Amino acid sequence: MTSTLAPAWTPVCPLTRLEYDRGVAALVEGVQVAVFRTTEGLYAVDNLDPASGANVLSRGIVGSREGVPTVASPLHKQVYDLRTGDCLDRPGAGVSRHEVRCRDGLVEVRLRQEE
């Protein structure tokens, strides 16, 4: 019998430790995740930059493009939509996004299950 339970929520840090428009890296169930706090909300995507193969997106430049919250890779400057993980510079490329929430002042991440 196989389990259909969703992945667990993993505590990352207190919300007060996240600065606006800056990322932090967190290890969630063995996956490096980049967590961002912007004025629009909280976002979590893979920390792995697909263009370079380095875990650096948490150190990327947070901004927006036409109202879309984004992070630009610090290495090759590709820009990713924080809401979807899609690369805005290379159609068809992107990073996985994950669920993120703040509960009782603690930021938690749940890995997105692949479909």
Side-chain angles (χ1 to χ4, degrees):
M1 181 183 218
T2 59
S3 173
T4 58
L5 296 175
W9 287 96
T10 300
V12 172
C13 67
L15 180 63
T16 56
R17 295 289 305 264
L18 291 180
E19 294 182 43
Y20 283 100
D21 298 330
R22 298 208 110 178
V24 298
L27 192 60
V28 178
E29 296 184 28
V31 176
Q32 284 197 35
V33 174
V35 180
F36 300 92
R37 181 182 186 187
T38 71
T39 55
E40 290 84 19
L42 294 170
Y43 302 95
V45 296
D46 281 350
N47 197 32
L48 183 68
D49 176 2
S52 69
N55 285 297
V56 296
L57 287 184
S58 63
R59 297 292 175 228
I61 301 165
V62 177
S64 66
R65 187 181 283 180
E66 298 179 11
V68 172
T70 61
V71 62
S73 168
L75 297 179
H76 297 288
K77 308 302 186 238
Q78 286 88 3
V79 176
Y80 298 91
D81 182 335
L82 287 173
R83 301 169 309 168
T84 66
D86 294 336
C87 182
L88 301 179
D89 299 320
R90 291 181 21 206
V95 294
S96 293
R97 66 172 177 79
H98 305 288
E99 294 179 77
V100 61
R101 69 182 182 188
C102 182
R103 194 171 109 190
D104 297 327
L106 187 64
V107 176
E108 299 176 328
V109 172
R110 181 164 65 183
L111 296 181
R112 181 176 178 206
Q113 291 182 328
E114 295 299 320
E115 298 175 22

